Amino acid sequence: QVQLVESGGGLVQAGGSLRLSCAASGSIFSLMGWYRQAPGKQRELVATITSAGSTNYADSVKGRFTISRDNAKNTVYLQMDSLKPEDTAVYYCNVKYWNTRTMGVQPAWGQGTQVTVSS
Protein backbone atom coordinates (compact mmCIF):
# COMPACT_ATOMS: atom_id res chain seq x y z
CA GLN A 1 0.00 0.00 0.00
CA VAL A 2 1.31 3.41 -0.95
CA GLN A 3 1.87 5.81 1.91
CA LEU A 4 2.98 9.44 1.82
CA VAL A 5 4.23 11.37 4.84
CA GLU A 6 4.62 15.11 4.46
CA SER A 7 6.48 17.54 6.67
CA GLY A 8 7.90 21.04 6.68
CA GLY A 9 4.97 23.43 6.52
CA GLY A 10 4.53 26.37 8.83
CA LEU A 11 4.27 30.12 9.21
CA VAL A 12 6.84 32.42 7.64
CA GLN A 13 7.11 36.09 6.80
CA ALA A 14 7.06 37.30 3.23
CA GLY A 15 10.48 36.90 1.66
CA GLY A 16 11.28 33.92 3.83
CA SER A 17 11.89 30.27 2.99
CA LEU A 18 10.44 26.89 3.81
CA ARG A 19 11.31 23.37 2.74
CA LEU A 20 8.67 20.68 2.34
CA SER A 21 9.42 16.98 2.34
CA CYS A 22 7.33 13.99 1.29
CA ALA A 23 8.49 10.47 2.02
CA ALA A 24 6.76 7.82 -0.08
CA SER A 25 6.66 4.08 0.43
CA GLY A 26 4.98 1.02 -0.99
CA SER A 27 5.86 1.24 -4.67
CA ILE A 28 8.16 2.66 -7.30
CA PHE A 29 7.20 6.20 -8.22
CA SER A 30 7.55 7.56 -11.70
CA LEU A 31 6.34 11.10 -11.16
CA MET A 32 6.43 12.99 -7.87
CA GLY A 33 5.21 16.49 -7.25
CA TRP A 34 3.46 19.12 -5.24
CA TYR A 35 0.08 20.75 -5.58
CA ARG A 36 -1.53 23.43 -3.47
CA GLN A 37 -5.00 24.62 -2.61
CA ALA A 38 -5.80 28.03 -1.20
CA PRO A 39 -9.12 28.75 0.54
CA GLY A 40 -11.91 29.09 -1.99
CA LYS A 41 -9.70 28.05 -4.89
CA GLN A 42 -9.11 24.89 -6.86
CA ARG A 43 -6.12 22.69 -6.28
CA GLU A 44 -3.32 23.67 -8.61
CA LEU A 45 -0.03 22.23 -9.77
CA VAL A 46 3.09 23.68 -8.16
CA ALA A 47 5.88 21.48 -9.48
CA THR A 48 6.64 17.95 -10.63
CA ILE A 49 9.76 15.88 -11.12
CA THR A 50 10.31 12.60 -12.96
CA SER A 51 12.52 9.77 -11.77
CA ALA A 52 15.11 11.01 -14.29
CA GLY A 53 15.06 14.47 -12.77
CA SER A 54 13.07 16.41 -15.35
CA THR A 55 11.14 19.20 -13.70
CA ASN A 56 8.06 21.26 -14.42
CA TYR A 57 6.91 24.38 -12.56
CA ALA A 58 3.87 26.56 -12.43
CA ASP A 59 4.64 30.00 -13.84
CA SER A 60 3.78 31.59 -10.50
CA VAL A 61 6.64 29.81 -8.71
CA LYS A 62 9.34 29.67 -11.37
CA GLY A 63 12.60 31.10 -10.10
CA ARG A 64 11.47 30.93 -6.47
CA PHE A 65 10.69 27.25 -5.82
CA THR A 66 12.92 24.25 -6.49
CA ILE A 67 11.72 20.67 -6.59
CA SER A 68 14.11 17.78 -6.07
CA ARG A 69 13.97 14.11 -5.19
CA ASP A 70 16.07 11.41 -3.63
CA ASN A 71 15.20 8.22 -5.46
CA ALA A 72 17.03 6.04 -2.95
CA LYS A 73 14.80 7.43 -0.19
CA ASN A 74 11.67 7.82 -2.33
CA THR A 75 11.46 11.37 -1.04
CA VAL A 76 10.54 14.53 -2.87
CA TYR A 77 11.39 18.01 -1.62
CA LEU A 78 10.11 21.48 -2.37
CA GLN A 79 12.43 24.34 -1.47
CA MET A 80 10.38 27.52 -1.37
CA ASP A 81 12.26 30.83 -1.36
CA SER A 82 11.11 34.43 -1.64
CA LEU A 83 7.71 33.41 -0.35
CA LYS A 84 4.76 35.69 -0.94
CA PRO A 85 1.42 35.95 0.88
CA GLU A 86 -0.26 34.53 -2.22
CA ASP A 87 1.71 31.30 -1.70
CA THR A 88 -0.42 30.64 1.38
CA ALA A 89 -2.19 27.33 0.89
CA VAL A 90 -2.33 23.70 1.90
CA TYR A 91 0.40 21.91 -0.02
CA TYR A 92 -0.18 18.32 -1.09
CA CYS A 93 2.37 15.78 -2.18
CA ASN A 94 1.32 13.77 -5.23
CA VAL A 95 2.90 10.68 -6.75
CA LYS A 96 2.18 8.46 -9.72
CA TYR A 97 2.86 4.75 -9.47
CA TRP A 98 2.16 1.52 -11.27
CA ASN A 99 -0.65 -0.39 -9.60
CA THR A 100 -0.01 -4.10 -10.13
CA ARG A 101 -3.59 -4.99 -9.26
CA THR A 102 -5.26 -2.70 -11.76
CA MET A 103 -2.32 -2.79 -14.20
CA GLY A 104 -2.44 0.96 -14.58
CA VAL A 105 -0.84 4.18 -13.36
CA GLN A 106 -2.54 5.62 -10.32
CA PRO A 107 -2.13 8.76 -8.24
CA ALA A 108 -1.70 8.99 -4.49
CA TRP A 109 -2.00 12.07 -2.31
CA GLY A 110 -0.42 13.14 0.94
CA GLN A 111 -2.46 14.49 3.82
CA GLY A 112 -1.46 18.08 3.13
CA THR A 113 0.65 20.55 5.04
CA GLN A 114 -0.27 24.16 5.72
CA VAL A 115 2.00 26.94 4.49
CA THR A 116 1.13 30.44 5.68
CA VAL A 117 3.04 33.50 4.50
CA SER A 118 2.41 36.70 6.42
CA SER A 119 2.86 40.13 4.88
Side-chain angles (χ1 to χ4, degrees), residues 34-97:
W34 294 91
Y35 287 69
R36 67 186 181 186
Q37 188 166 18
K41 294 188 176 181
Q42 289 189 332
R43 192 171 297 189
E44 63 177 4
L45 171 73
V46 176
T48 60
I49 184 168
T50 69
S51 56
S54 296
T55 58
N56 179 51
Y57 294 93
D59 288 343
S60 58
V61 306
K62 281 181 181 176
R64 300 188 298 121
F65 290 11
T66 303
I67 190 170
S68 61
R69 65 187 283 173
D70 184 333
N71 289 329
K73 296 181 179 179
N74 274 339
T75 299
V76 61
Y77 306 96
L78 186 68
Q79 177 66 42
M80 304 184 292
D81 298 319
S82 301
L83 283 161
K84 304 176 181 179
E86 50 264 44
D87 294 318
T88 296
V90 177
Y91 284 70
Y92 296 91
C93 177
N94 172 268
V95 300
K96 302 289 195 298
Y97 67 100

